[in-house]
Amino acid sequence: MAALRHRLLAAATVAAPLVAVLPLRAASAPPCDAFEVEYTLAANLQLTETPLGKGDGIYPVGPGAAVLRFDNRGGVPGGPVEMLSYRMHEHFVINSSALFWRSSFTSITDTTVTPNACAVAAQGTLVGRTIRWSTPLLAYRTDGVVTCQGSLCGKAGAPPPGETELQLGPGPVWFRPFDFAADMRTFRMPNTLVSKTELPKLTASIALAGREVRRRCVQVQPCP
């Protein structure tokens, strides 16, 4: 009888650590497929070819935001990149005066993109610290109002006097490369052409600065 009790006690001693380990294995999460990173954006909007050149210049705009999805490469973002969303708020005022001409032009707009059926707005690849885009942003669109006051309104490609609704696009826009800092938390994009219109007459380019504000590890569902 003493020998039987000794064998039962030894079996219980071996089994106890196994019971403690099993719940930990069941609770461990599988590795994620990708990192979704949200960035806050600031931008400089450069205008050229405006009516009589009176609005040509560089105007700070923003804030904006973008979400990028990177492949998980050994616990760090790398390889293929997808832009899931992009938006930018643009509010600027142009005051111009010259002989016989005195005008004020105010623009308040928002720019967004519409992703495809797989919820992707653009695709690219991260090589080193640079994202190079292999597709344009889909359905890049700017909506808002412009207000013109003064003698130039309605002339030389300027909008008519008063408030006018503005809609540019939607259409594809190719972004230039995103160049990241060494810590991969901030990036810059050089000046990139985004629109050319006749009313109002202007050519617009934008330069971006992004800063990471949120990152999460996600599982990616296959898209047909």
Side-chain angles (χ1 to χ4, degrees):
M1 180 64 77
L4 179 59
R5 284 198 301 270
H6 179 74
R7 286 197 297 271
L8 292 175
L9 180 61
T13 303
V14 172
L18 296 177
V19 172
V21 169
L22 286 175
L24 294 178
R25 289 178 179 174
S28 62
C32 63
D33 301 319
F35 295 99
E36 284 188 5
V37 187
E38 181 180 346
Y39 299 89
T40 184
L41 303 176
N44 283 328
L45 183 68
Q46 181 174 351
L47 302 183
T48 59
E49 301 181 293
T50 60
L52 303 181
K54 297 306 179 183
D56 290 10
I58 297 176
Y59 303 90
V61 296
V67 176
L68 305 182
R69 183 164 64 201
F70 300 81
D71 266 16
N72 182 352
R73 295 294 175 93
V76 297
V81 182
E82 296 171 330
M83 182 179 289
L84 306 183
S85 64
Y86 171 88
R87 58 180 173 82
M88 179 64 65
H89 180 67
E90 301 104 351
H91 181 188
F92 60 92
V93 178
I94 301 172
N95 291 305
S96 65
S97 61
L99 186 63
F100 305 121
W101 302 101
R102 186 177 300 276
S103 303
S104 174
F105 176 88
T106 302
S107 177
I108 304 175
T109 59
D110 289 284
T111 297
T112 57
V113 297
T114 301
N116 62 17
C118 294
V120 174
Q123 295 176 304
T125 304
L126 176 65
V127 178
R129 299 204 305 263
T130 300
I131 297 176
R132 298 190 183 278
W133 300 103
S134 55
T135 69
L137 274 74
L138 301 173
Y140 188 96
R141 174 174 174 154
T142 299
D143 294 280
V145 296
V146 295
T147 304
C148 191
Q149 297 176 322
S151 56
L152 186 58
C153 300
K155 304 178 180 67
E163 186 177 281
T164 304
E165 290 189 6
L166 178 69
Q167 178 183 323
L168 305 179
V173 168
W174 282 93
F175 268 2
R176 297 183 69 185
F178 287 9
D179 294 315
F180 283 81
D183 63 2
M184 294 298 294
R185 300 288 181 176
T186 62
F187 71 83
R188 291 188 177 274
M189 182 189 76
N191 223 28
T192 300
L193 176 67
V194 293
S195 65
K196 184 179 179 68
T197 62
E198 292 302 319
L199 189 66
K201 180 176 173 57
L202 59 82
T203 297
S205 302
I206 196 167
L208 297 178
R211 177 175 56 85
E212 181 178 330
V213 293
R214 192 172 295 105
R215 179 184 300 206
R216 64 191 187 108
C217 211
V218 298
Q219 302 296 323
V220 179
Q221 300 298 322
C223 181

